Amino acid sequence: MPALTKDRPTAERDGRQVSDPLAAAAQIYAGGMYLLDAAGNALPAAPQAAATAWVVRAVAEQRASASAGDARVAGARGVFCFDSAAAGDALTRADIGATCYALDDCTVAKGSDTNKRPKAGTVLDVDERGVWVRIGA
């Protein structure tokens, strides 16, 4: 494309909302973390068999199910509160600033992607409600 020679209306997004196609047979619940497969389709966050560097894409704003005929899932990026894993994988205030990983679509844990857990995001806080994580940064 050549450089502009006149004014142009340029579309803008704030980067918080996203919309992604659902993977075949996927069901994603509102409030659950989801990631994108190799084809760019959404599926619930959980450890994956492939040795790919999985990353959580967003948190679903509403339930979406391929079997219900939903073609896409609406997601949001930002700071969200999730449950902490238990025992050795539990996150504490000492983990603020560290990367955490998705144990499932609503639980985050210490660990690494060597466990094939998707990277959820950065721990911003840990309080009585749970672990506050920046998703999609």
Side-chain angles (χ1 to χ4, degrees):
M1 297 294 284
L4 293 176
T5 58
K6 62 181 181 174
D7 295 340
R8 162 188 192 272
T10 300
E12 177 184 12
R13 293 200 274 185
D14 68 4
R16 184 176 177 339
Q17 265 67 38
V18 293
S19 176
D20 297 297
L22 279 172
Q27 177 156 315
I28 299 174
Y29 292 97
M33 293 179 279
Y34 71 87
L35 50 86
L36 300 179
D37 66 15
N41 299 314
L43 60 143
Q48 302 294 316
T52 303
W54 298 94
V55 177
V56 169
R57 162 88 161 147
V59 173
E61 293 187 307
Q62 58 199 27
R63 183 186 301 188
S65 172
S67 63
D70 297 321
R72 302 185 75 80
V73 59
R77 299 155 57 101
V79 179
F80 301 91
C81 188
F82 296 102
D83 296 333
S84 177
D89 276 342
L91 291 153
T92 68
R93 292 193 54 79
D95 296 304
I96 292 173
T99 298
C100 63
Y101 296 83
L103 194 56
D104 57 37
D105 59 356
C106 67
T107 310
V108 290
K110 290 182 183 182
S112 69
D113 51 8
T114 59
N115 296 342
K116 304 202 178 1
R117 294 176 180 165
K119 184 184 295 185
T122 303
V123 176
L124 290 186
D125 200 3
V126 179
D127 63 18
E128 65 283 347
R129 293 176 63 189
V131 181
W132 294 87
V133 180
R134 179 175 301 285
I135 301 289

